Amino acid sequence: MTTLVAEANRVEDWGGGMIVVLDTTGDTKHIWSRDNADEVAEARSLFDRMVKKGFQAWSVTRKGDKDARITEFDPQAEKIIFAPALQGG
Amino acid sequence: MPQNWPQYYTSTATTTNQYIPVNQQWYNTSGNSTQTIWQNWNTTTTSTYVTQNTYADQVWIQWNQMPVYQPPVYTPEQLREMEAQQARQRAIYEERNRRRSAARAKARTLLEQFLDDEQKLELERHGRFYVIGSRGRRYCIRAEGQSGNVDLLKPDGSVQARLCCHPRQVPGESYELLPEGDAWLMQMITLRTDEDHFLRTANVHRGSLPAFA
């Protein structure tokens, strides 16, 4: 898993996507391959669970040119970041 | 330290010579020079003595009714148990600090994956980095905690407004905020994708916001 995550971080388009859940440990990563239906389904399930928990999802790229807030799982996404909603402090 | 304070009572509101101060000596009002302090204290503009009424005595009465403090005496077993409890507590704190330190490092690594070379250099050298918002305004995210650490900049680079906007506590966890690197990442992503949402959510600590389009 560590090797796969490292590969997913290093290679711009490795044929899959990554969900990054920001939490108190820093983050927790989950990856899926676009060709693997089971992995896509698992990622979709995780996406729905996180939305139910109150997290907000952002589809992001390393360059930042296609970043967008999303509410539905996109299997083509490069990276999806889950974070708690923003608040004024 | 005395365990009891000397008590004094006045029987009526007109009594003028029944004070018993802390040195336990009696004084009266018949010209004794040793009572000058009390006379000055109690004298009114009409040169009559103002006396304490009985309500003021209640403080002293209650003070003297308080039980005398007795320090607890612990057995050697109790002392050992207390020391063990302190050691357990210390271990919990150390573990929590170690976990937070690891989380901060991990969050910083993730953040740097989304920064370009210039931003990384700025962060490393000056503890801040600049972001262009979705509406083209320029922001400075300062690496100083996650509250009030975002500056909206004017075209000349000076600060137009100091803003506070950061992720809430993590749902379902221990009411802890995200590590700072994660918070800075989300501040950057939100500014890049929906600057107006960021400005609407933020509290302004200094300066003022531009008018929304």
Side-chain angles (χ1 to χ4, degrees), chain A residues 24-40:
Chain A
T24 51
T25 69
D27 62 77
T28 307
K29 297 181 177 74
H30 307 265
I31 58 173
W32 75 89
S33 168
R34 292 186 196 115
D35 301 331
N36 188 322
D38 289 343
E39 287 183 9
V40 171

Side-chain angles (χ1 to χ4, degrees), chain B:
Chain B
M1 182 177 172
Q3 293 181 351
N4 285 302
W5 287 81
Q7 299 183 40
Y8 66 92
Y9 298 94
T10 54
S11 55
T12 69
T14 56
T15 303
T16 59
N17 60 352
Q18 298 297 314
Y19 293 101
I20 310 173
V22 291
N23 59 6
Q24 295 281 8
Q25 291 181 11
W26 284 79
Y27 296 94
N28 59 40
T29 58
S30 59
N32 190 329
S33 62
T34 58
Q35 63 178 190
T36 304
I37 294 173
W38 289 103
Q39 285 178 353
N40 288 341
W41 177 269
N42 292 309
T43 299
T44 67
T45 53
T46 56
S47 297
T48 59
Y49 294 109
V50 176
T51 61
Q52 301 291 323
N53 60 36
T54 53
Y55 298 114
D57 297 336
Q58 293 305 311
V59 175
W60 298 106
I61 294 169
Q62 288 174 5
W63 176 276
N64 288 313
Q65 286 172 346
M66 286 170 66
V68 178
Y69 173 70
Q70 296 287 352
V73 179
Y74 297 108
T75 64
E77 289 76 21
Q78 286 174 315
L79 287 172
R80 274 196 295 276
E81 175 55 32
M82 287 163 64
E83 283 170 10
Q85 174 67 23
Q86 286 172 355
R88 283 195 293 273
Q89 206 60 39
R90 236 183 349 261
I92 290 171
Y93 287 138
E94 284 168 6
E95 168 61 18
R96 187 185 302 166
N97 286 340
R98 190 199 59 73
R99 189 168 46 79
R100 284 182 178 167
S101 181
R104 273 198 296 272
K106 195 174 177 185
R108 180 77 174 229
T109 303
L110 181 69
L111 170 69
E112 289 181 358
Q113 288 173 11
F114 288 88
L115 299 181
D116 60 29
D117 291 341
E118 191 180 340
Q119 287 173 317
K120 270 191 264 194
L121 198 64
E122 189 75 18
L123 179 61
E124 190 181 332
R125 285 190 179 169
H126 302 295
R128 67 190 179 209
F129 59 95
Y130 295 96
V131 178
I132 303 296
S134 57
R135 285 192 173 274
R137 299 187 190 99
R138 193 157 176 259
Y139 294 83
C140 175
I141 297 179
R142 286 175 285 107
E144 300 167 0
Q146 51 185 295
S147 298
N149 68 315
V150 180
D151 293 337
L152 168 61
L153 302 177
K154 293 178 184 172
D156 65 3
S158 60
V159 177
Q160 176 170 341
R162 178 155 291 180
L163 308 171
C164 185
C165 184
H166 56 82
R168 296 170 192 267
Q169 292 153 336
V170 180
E173 292 198 19
S174 55
Y175 295 104
E176 284 184 45
L177 290 171
L178 291 175
E180 292 163 346
D182 285 346
W184 303 333
L185 174 63
M186 288 318 299
Q187 288 169 338
M188 179 178 75
I189 289 174
T190 310
L191 284 170
R192 285 199 314 208
T193 55
D194 193 353
E195 185 180 341
D196 284 350
H197 171 68
F198 187 94
L199 293 178
R200 276 196 300 271
T201 308
N203 281 336
V204 181
H205 284 202
R206 203 178 70 192
S208 60
L209 292 180
F212 287 104

